[in-house]
Amino acid sequence: MNGFPLLSLITFLPVIGMIIILFMPGKMAKEIKITSLVITFLQIILAVILLGNFNYSAGGIYEESSFQFLEKFRWIEITGLSWIGTVKVDYFLGVDGISTPMILLTAIISFIAVISSWSITKSVKGFFALFLLLDTGMMGVFVSLDFFLFYVFWELMLLPMYFLIGIWGGPRKEYAAIKFFIYTLLGSVFMLLVMIALYFSASETLANGTSAFTFNLLTLMDPTNYTVDGILSPLNPNNYRFIAYIALFIGFAIKIPMFPFHTWLPDAHVEAPTPISVILAGVLLKMGTYGILRISYPIFPEITQELAYYIALFGVINIIYGALVALAQKDFKKMIAYSSVSHMGYVLLGMASLSTTGITGAIFQMFNHGTITAMLFLIVGVIYDRAHTREINAFGGLANKMPVYTFFVTIAFFAAIGLPSLSGFISEALVFVGAFGVQEIRVLTMIGTLGILLGAAYMLWTLQRIFFGEFNDKWKDVLHDITFREYAMLVPLTIIIIFLGIYPSAMLDVMNSSVNTLVEFISKNAEIIRISGM
Amino acid sequence: MIENLLADVSLIVPEVIVSVTLLLIVLFDLIFNKDKSLIPYIGVVGIFLALYFAIQNIGVNTHAFIVSSGNQNYGLLALDSFGSYFRIIILIASILIVFFAKASSEIQQLKERSGEFYALLFGMILGMLFMVSASDLIMLYLSVELLSLSSYVLAGFTKLRDRDTEASLKYLVYGAASSGIMLFGISIIYGLTGNTNLFIINDVFRSVSVNVLAYSFSIILIFAGIGFKISAVPFHFWTPDVYEGAPISITAFLSVASKAAGFALLVRFVKSTFLLNESDGSWILLNGFDWQTFLIIISILTMTLGNFAALWQDNIKRMLAYSSIAHAGYMLLGLAVLSDQGLLAIMVYFLVYIIMNLGAFYIVMLIANRIGSEDIKDYNRLGYASPFLGVALTIFLISLTGLPPTAGFIAKLYLFLALIDAKMIFVAVIAVLNSVVSLYYYIRILKHMFISESETEVEKFKISMNEIVFILILLVPTLLFGIYFSPMVDFAQSCLSIIGN
């Protein structure tokens, strides 16, 4: 696979699709949909090729040579004046065991979301053009190894998402869209500031022997590359690393969304059309935790260790708070949205353990939450398409009326609760095992396990209210069992959930060596930074 | 003496060409009474010629029109690469504005007065060109007045509505007051130093200690005059009214070119008059007046007020007026850094700002031509009336906000680079938070264009080929410089040198 720009292709394929769509007349709605479907399917094929050629033993994280499918060339270089040195930005793509699961997830979820978008009738051309642009942004974030590039892709997602919620959303779409926009933008400006500060703190030695400031994430991870007086340099006794870490963390936390920055999520979800909810929950929320693992952890290892307890604390707050609020919801979709908040809390808790088991669990939970929540949102979409309401109490006794639907719902709900033999169980178990092993956060972990109980409570209670009990005759004519298109969305996800529940190694092996590298790297570098009295 | 004068004139060929073009326009207007459609083309040819010579002038570093005796060779004008850069920016903006005015129905309705219009426009251009190289307080004052007098008239040019006249009158009154204040400041400096040449004043300030109070007072008074031109808070009061009332092409011109000239003037004034020495690209200024703190305060006030006031506007021209105040605030921060890097940020910012701001104004004008309104509420669903205009305006507004991958992001990036490099973290944070606020009002237009419902069915707009070409000329660089910006920055970097003592 050497020399073949697989990652560029997988990232920019949707943009090619977008351009094709922009040249198609708006009336060819069906052709536009098919084009999008083909593009996202090709993306899955590319992702599978990637997985097929993936070297399971390569660690990645900080070492350029152990990243795979590398593409690196100078994007922008300004050999400037003496004091600023060289401004350089690399087009630097590569994957390791942390990004590969995310790429797979993005490809799968995008494909499913296109199928789910089949029912879109309003400005089809605009919808799919924006959708594909969003897809490129998502892929780009997961493959970038240069902070500047990462940021560009990150911002690229903002506007398509705003319009996708704002134009094709529900009654309060304007409010939800602007709220999403402002929250996300606030996060990304924090990120921007930290990015620039990092840029001025570390330098890289160029081929000709001169040094240059850099956005290269791998260079930024090595404490020896920092200049003595850089404001984020560990060598500088008056550095701002702590503040920068918090700012960057908030930037990512908004996306997760971590309590107390989560309030945009329920609004965005409730108003967004089903496919966009699927993308939002399935992929976008993972960007936050991915960013922490890819950027915050390795670049600020000593502060990560220092603050691990608080990350765990917020994780547990997310778990409990999200679950309690979910329990109180009357709106089916809002309930799922809050369950997302709760489930992303597990990811935070696992990450905070800084142990191989915990972080593996966290990444696996990111993947599983992506597939499971996507399925839950599709399920809400199925019922909303028919009844045009999402009021939980408006239904009852659907089990007899829609048996196949009920089957899928049960699988998804049980997977979300964490029933053994379904994928959610493995990742949650790994998270708890990993977190329990760390003395400082053991108590927090024990509190966090309450989340499972609460999760079971709201899921089962919802299941009971919608599917058992008395059938509401109002829905007699509208509620029919699922259609072929809905099968096409739900079956693949169900297969993945069951397959990974029985054979989790398929995914765990992918991330294993990278997670080991990450954990070692954090403890080693935190020690280095601390010893040098910095 | 005559040879000297001729040699000096050869250094200001662009200005000479603009003056000649101005005269040609007036003559043409008198001779060809009936058909005046050729006038804009004469103007464009003139500006292109001037632009050619301005580009040729890059790299020249010399004083011209030397007035003083002895061994000091300082003159009325300082010609350097920095000045050439701003001349080029102003001339590019002028070319665009001529085409802009040609497409504007407001101006086209007054065809018989187009000689007057373009003559005044060239008066403005001439004033701006002198502003960017003025190195003598007299020259500085004269060039500012030349610009101002032409723009007072142009602001009320259409005379169609009351608000036009109001705009013109307000502009005149504020403008006269502020240039009076500036003149007072100049007279104090003259009293302190006995000279009007910036470089000689600098020499005097270095060697003689002056009364700090009088010194600071004179600086603040002069800043009032320049601050008026760049609409820095608290000298911005005229901006929203004038921008709203003036013909839209003049509003656009005021918001880009006039501001660029004002900035160039300010930068040169600060650097030439108050520089103590330069090390490693950062400027160390004379003691006595804390320019850095002063500029930081002014710029924070400017951008914060601009952004927050823009939030409440319902008229899009007014909103863009406040947004341009906010942008002036960001650019002032570039000066407050007091380093070549800050200067580079300002220069890059202006180049980008001209492109994206003119783009936004142009589309606003095209829409106003069709719906006859500049009210944001009337923008409902216009994105569907013409998806091309809608998408183009979206990109310009995104660029004004400063999001990647647009040129506006690069401009902000360089600014923040400069701020953070100077360890002005707190200021950088305020600037960033300001951009977040600005996003809200830019996005509000997009919301109206694409999301809000409209009671009346929107008709499809017809857009002519010329209009599409003009938009593309602005749109392509807005996107291209967001991805591949090194040529632009290289160019700015090669023009950093400001002539000193």
Side-chain angles (χ1 to χ4, degrees):
Chain A
M1 295 302 287
N2 274 345
F4 182 71
L6 182 69
L7 296 181
S8 291
L9 194 60
I10 202 170
T11 307
F12 290 104
L13 189 68
V15 167
I16 298 170
M18 181 186 85
I19 293 169
I20 296 174
I21 286 177
L22 287 179
F23 281 104
M24 289 163 83
K27 287 187 198 82
M28 295 164 70
K30 190 157 186 205
E31 287 79 357
I32 288 172
K33 286 173 184 170
I34 290 171
T35 311
S36 311
L37 194 68
V38 170
I39 294 283
T40 45
F41 186 69
L42 285 176
Q43 225 182 358
I44 291 191
I45 292 180
L46 289 175
V48 170
I49 293 175
L50 188 151
L51 189 64
N53 290 281
F54 189 78
N55 177 358
Y56 284 63
S57 59
I61 305 294
Y62 69 98
E63 206 179 15
E64 188 174 325
S65 57
S66 62
F67 271 95
Q68 304 177 46
F69 306 98
L70 277 177
E71 286 171 44
K72 184 177 185 180
F73 58 86
R74 194 58 37 85
W75 178 23
I76 293 149
E77 178 167 342
I78 306 156
T79 45
L81 303 153
S82 55
W83 79 95
I84 187 176
T86 306
V87 175
K88 60 182 269 306
V89 179
D90 284 333
Y91 177 82
F92 186 18
L93 308 183
V95 292
D96 62 4
I98 294 181
S99 39
T100 305
M102 294 301 112
I103 291 167
L104 284 172
L105 179 69
T106 309
I108 295 166
I109 297 296
S110 300
F111 178 71
I112 303 275
V114 170
I115 304 178
S116 159
S117 311
W118 225 257
S119 51
I120 297 283
T121 49
K122 180 177 166 187
S123 345
V124 174
K125 182 172 161 180
F127 181 91
F128 284 96
L130 288 169
F131 181 91
L132 290 173
L133 190 61
L134 177 68
D135 192 356
T136 288
M138 297 188 300
M139 274 298 180
V141 165
F142 290 130
V143 297
S144 305
L145 292 180
D146 186 282
F147 206 162
F148 190 90
L149 196 63
F150 180 92
Y151 183 77
V152 169
F153 281 122
W154 184 281
E155 291 289 283
L156 191 64
M157 298 183 300
L158 188 57
L159 217 61
M161 203 62 194
Y162 169 75
F163 283 119
L164 286 169
I165 297 175
I167 299 180
W168 289 271
R172 285 170 69 239
K173 57 193 181 181
E174 287 183 24
Y175 171 76
I178 200 80
K179 196 168 176 182
F180 165 81
F181 200 97
I182 288 173
Y183 267 75
T184 319
L185 190 84
L186 191 70
S188 51
V189 292
F190 280 124
M191 200 198 297
L192 178 67
L193 283 174
V194 176
M195 177 176 106
I196 295 173
L198 277 171
Y199 174 77
F200 274 112
S201 304
S203 63
E204 174 175 23
T205 312
L206 298 180
N208 59 11
T210 58
S211 62
F213 294 118
T214 182
F215 288 110
N216 186 327
L217 285 173
L218 308 188
T219 310
L220 294 174
M221 286 172 199
D222 186 347
T224 59
N225 282 331
Y226 283 81
T227 51
V228 177
D229 54 349
I231 58 168
L232 294 187
S233 163
L235 302 166
N236 183 349
N238 303 319
N239 64 49
Y240 291 85
R241 283 171 74 84
F242 192 80
I243 296 172
Y245 186 85
I246 305 257
L248 190 60
F249 196 85
I250 290 176
F252 291 131
I254 288 175
K255 207 81 171 186
I256 295 176
M258 185 183 88
F259 179 88
F261 307 109
H262 66 283
T263 55
W264 62 271
L265 182 84
D267 289 304
H269 268 314
V270 168
E271 300 308 324
T274 303
I276 300 311
S277 284
V278 168
I279 289 280
L280 195 57
V283 184
L284 254 63
L285 303 191
K286 276 63 198 182
M287 307 243 155
T289 40
Y290 175 79
I292 294 173
L293 286 174
R294 168 70 66 218
I295 296 174
S296 299
Y297 269 31
I299 292 183
F300 302 97
E302 83 286 12
I303 302 170
T304 301
Q305 287 190 341
E306 214 173 303
L307 293 181
Y309 177 81
Y310 296 95
I311 300 175
L313 178 67
F314 276 103
V316 171
I317 292 177
N318 253 38
I319 296 175
I320 304 290
Y321 173 84
L324 285 174
V325 181
L327 203 54
Q329 294 310 312
K330 295 191 172 69
D331 183 316
F332 196 2
K333 205 169 182 184
K334 229 173 182 163
M335 192 280 280
I336 305 289
Y338 276 108
S339 85
S340 261
V341 174
S342 178
H343 282 117
M344 290 308 285
Y346 295 121
V347 180
L348 279 172
L349 181 62
M351 280 168 30
S353 75
L354 297 180
S355 66
T356 308
T357 324
I359 294 182
T360 306
I363 301 171
F364 196 34
Q365 170 74 0
M366 279 154 72
F367 186 89
N368 292 339
H369 176 257
T371 45
I372 296 170
T373 312
M375 193 162 163
L376 290 171
F377 278 112
L378 291 171
I379 282 166
V380 177
V382 166
I383 202 167
Y384 183 73
D385 281 349
R386 289 166 174 70
H388 300 289
T389 179
R390 294 183 298 250
E391 198 71 24
I392 296 175
N393 290 326
F395 300 100
L398 294 194
N400 291 329
K401 195 78 179 166
M402 303 168 77
V404 186
Y405 179 61
T406 312
F407 165 75
F408 284 116
V409 174
T410 316
I411 298 261
F413 274 29
F414 282 163
I417 295 168
L419 200 75
S421 86
L422 296 173
S423 64
F425 168 73
I426 312 282
S427 52
E428 283 173 24
L430 285 173
V431 163
F432 282 120
V433 170
F436 198 77
V438 182
Q439 187 68 44
E440 294 85 33
I441 59 173
R442 187 165 285 165
V443 179
L444 281 176
T445 312
M446 290 197 272
I447 300 171
T449 48
L450 277 179
I452 296 192
L453 199 67
L454 289 167
Y458 63 76
M459 284 294 182
L460 293 178
W461 191 34
T462 308
L463 195 67
Q464 182 199 342
R465 281 182 290 171
I466 295 184
F467 295 95
F468 307 119
E470 204 148 306
F471 185 70
N472 186 342
D473 272 338
K474 192 162 98 184
W475 311 121
K476 200 167 54 186
D477 302 325
V478 286
L479 287 183
H480 48 86
D481 216 335
I482 64 176
T483 62
F484 173 71
R485 186 169 64 79
E486 288 156 356
Y487 267 111
M489 307 184 294
L490 294 173
V491 169
L493 290 175
T494 311
I495 292 173
I496 292 171
I497 289 169
I498 295 176
F499 173 73
L500 288 179
I502 298 166
Y503 185 61
S505 306
M507 194 55 77
L508 296 179
D509 288 350
V510 172
M511 50 184 108
N512 190 23
S513 88
S514 286
V515 173
N516 278 329
T517 315
L518 179 65
V519 170
E520 278 165 31
F521 184 77
I522 292 171
S523 61
K524 190 185 80 194
N525 270 18
E527 203 56 31
I528 289 174
I529 291 172
R530 233 172 264 136
I531 284 174
S532 41
M534 306 169 194
Chain B
M1 199 62 195
I2 291 292
E3 295 87 70
N4 279 349
L5 199 61
L6 282 178
D8 285 345
V9 169
S10 72
L11 292 169
I12 56 161
V13 178
E15 284 83 349
V16 173
I17 293 174
V18 169
S19 318
V20 171
T21 317
L22 195 161
L23 293 174
L24 278 179
I25 289 172
V26 175
L27 282 176
F28 192 89
D29 189 40
L30 289 173
I31 298 168
F32 298 93
N33 233 331
K34 301 267 155 43
D35 181 25
K36 294 183 175 171
S37 54
L38 265 180
I39 289 178
Y41 298 105
I42 297 175
V44 168
V45 171
I47 304 174
F48 264 115
L49 268 176
L51 182 62
Y52 171 76
F53 285 102
I55 293 171
Q56 294 292 311
N57 257 354
I58 293 180
V60 170
N61 274 309
T62 181
H63 296 274
F65 300 100
I66 292 158
V67 280
S68 53
S69 54
N71 52 0
Q72 293 157 320
N73 290 320
Y74 306 133
L76 289 174
L77 297 176
L79 297 156
D80 47 27
S81 304
F82 168 78
S84 299
Y85 182 86
F86 273 93
R87 277 170 164 178
I88 291 167
I89 282 198
I90 288 164
L91 289 170
I92 291 175
S94 309
I95 294 172
L96 294 171
I97 286 295
V98 173
F99 286 110
F100 202 127
K102 260 183 69 60
S104 163
S105 58
E106 277 175 314
I107 306 296
Q108 288 312 303
Q109 284 161 12
L110 305 165
K111 255 206 175 87
E112 71 285 357
R113 285 170 61 208
S114 66
E116 193 188 323
F117 180 84
Y118 287 102
L120 286 166
L121 191 69
F122 272 73
M124 281 178 79
I125 299 171
L126 191 59
M128 292 174 192
L129 291 181
F130 278 121
M131 272 166 83
V132 300
S133 31
S135 67
D136 189 287
L137 289 173
I138 301 293
M139 194 62 212
L140 187 150
Y141 177 74
L142 286 177
S143 56
V144 169
E145 282 303 285
L146 180 55
L147 166 62
S148 303
L149 290 174
S150 313
S151 28
Y152 298 149
V153 184
L154 281 177
F157 183 75
T158 54
K159 296 190 283 195
L160 294 176
R161 294 153 297 196
D162 285 348
R163 66 170 203 200
D164 301 14
T165 324
E166 185 198 329
S168 182
L169 192 64
K170 232 174 199 165
Y171 200 15
L172 176 66
V173 172
Y174 280 123
S178 70
S179 57
I181 293 171
M182 179 161 86
L183 204 54
F184 187 39
I186 289 174
S187 71
I188 296 176
I189 286 210
Y190 181 74
L192 288 173
T193 61
N195 211 304
T196 55
N197 189 288
L198 301 185
F199 302 106
I200 299 172
I201 293 173
N202 181 284
D203 286 343
V204 174
F205 281 152
R206 280 167 193 249
S207 49
V208 185
S209 68
V210 292
N211 182 323
V212 173
L213 187 67
Y215 174 71
S216 308
F217 189 54
S218 65
I219 290 172
I220 292 172
L221 293 181
I222 293 181
F223 186 83
I226 305 174
F228 172 79
K229 276 277 153 274
I230 60 176
S231 45
V233 173
F235 314 107
H236 68 286
F237 287 105
W238 59 279
T239 316
D241 294 320
V242 172
Y243 279 21
E244 187 185 351
I248 201 160
S249 38
I250 295 306
T251 305
F253 199 45
L254 286 176
S255 77
V256 293
S258 162
K259 197 163 272 187
F263 256 94
L265 184 78
L266 178 63
V267 170
R268 189 184 296 284
F269 175 67
V270 172
K271 197 178 173 191
S272 303
T273 320
F274 302 98
L275 187 73
L276 185 62
N277 59 46
E278 245 183 299
S279 74
D280 241 8
S282 64
W283 314 343
I284 294 143
L285 297 189
L286 295 163
N287 290 327
F289 185 78
D290 190 351
W291 270 104
Q292 189 156 43
T293 313
F294 177 71
L295 287 171
I296 288 175
I297 292 170
I298 295 275
S299 60
I300 288 179
L301 285 177
T302 304
M303 62 188 165
T304 312
L305 186 132
N307 278 325
F308 278 90
L311 290 176
W312 321 115
Q313 302 309 319
D314 289 325
N315 180 296
I316 191 161
K317 263 161 82 183
R318 247 185 127 76
M319 192 216 83
L320 286 172
Y322 280 110
S323 113
S324 87
I325 294 177
H327 282 280
Y330 298 130
M331 288 185 266
L332 272 176
L333 277 184
L335 180 57
V337 174
L338 295 178
S339 71
D340 280 3
Q341 206 176 338
L343 183 61
L344 176 69
I346 296 182
M347 290 163 80
V348 170
Y349 206 113
F350 255 113
L351 189 59
V352 170
Y353 174 71
I354 281 195
I355 297 169
M356 62 195 183
N357 211 37
L358 278 182
F361 269 112
Y362 188 74
I363 294 178
V364 167
M365 181 200 69
L366 291 184
I367 292 176
N369 280 353
R370 286 167 177 80
I371 64 172
S373 165
E374 288 146 5
D375 199 317
I376 295 178
K377 290 198 181 63
D378 295 331
Y379 274 58
N380 281 2
R381 304 203 81 70
L382 284 188
Y384 301 99
S386 163
F388 177 71
L389 284 190
V391 170
L393 185 55
T394 304
I395 292 170
F396 289 130
L397 293 178
I398 291 305
S399 182
L400 281 168
T401 318
L403 294 182
T406 59
F409 171 66
I410 302 304
K412 287 239 166 79
L413 183 76
Y414 270 86
L415 185 67
F416 293 149
L417 284 179
L419 286 175
I420 290 187
D421 194 34
K423 304 212 162 51
M424 291 158 66
I425 312 275
F426 179 67
V427 183
V429 171
I430 292 180
V432 165
L433 292 178
N434 258 289
S435 332
V436 181
V437 173
S438 76
L439 181 76
Y440 185 81
Y441 57 81
Y442 292 126
I443 212 78
R444 192 168 143 231
I445 297 178
L446 304 188
K447 190 195 85 178
H448 280 280
M449 282 200 310
F450 291 103
I451 298 178
S452 297
E453 303 296 331
S454 164
E455 289 128 36
T456 49
E457 194 64 23
V458 284
E459 273 176 59
K460 287 262 172 207
F461 288 164
K462 281 193 191 66
I463 309 171
S464 74
M465 207 56 207
N466 288 342
E467 289 164 348
I468 290 180
V469 169
F470 190 89
I471 291 173
L472 284 179
I473 286 175
L474 296 169
L475 193 60
V476 170
T478 306
L479 286 173
L480 185 69
F481 288 155
I483 298 165
Y484 183 63
F485 51 88
S486 28
M488 168 180 74
V489 178
D490 281 345
F491 175 54
Q493 210 148 35
S494 69
C495 294
L496 270 179
S497 78
I498 297 182
I499 197 165
N501 305 41

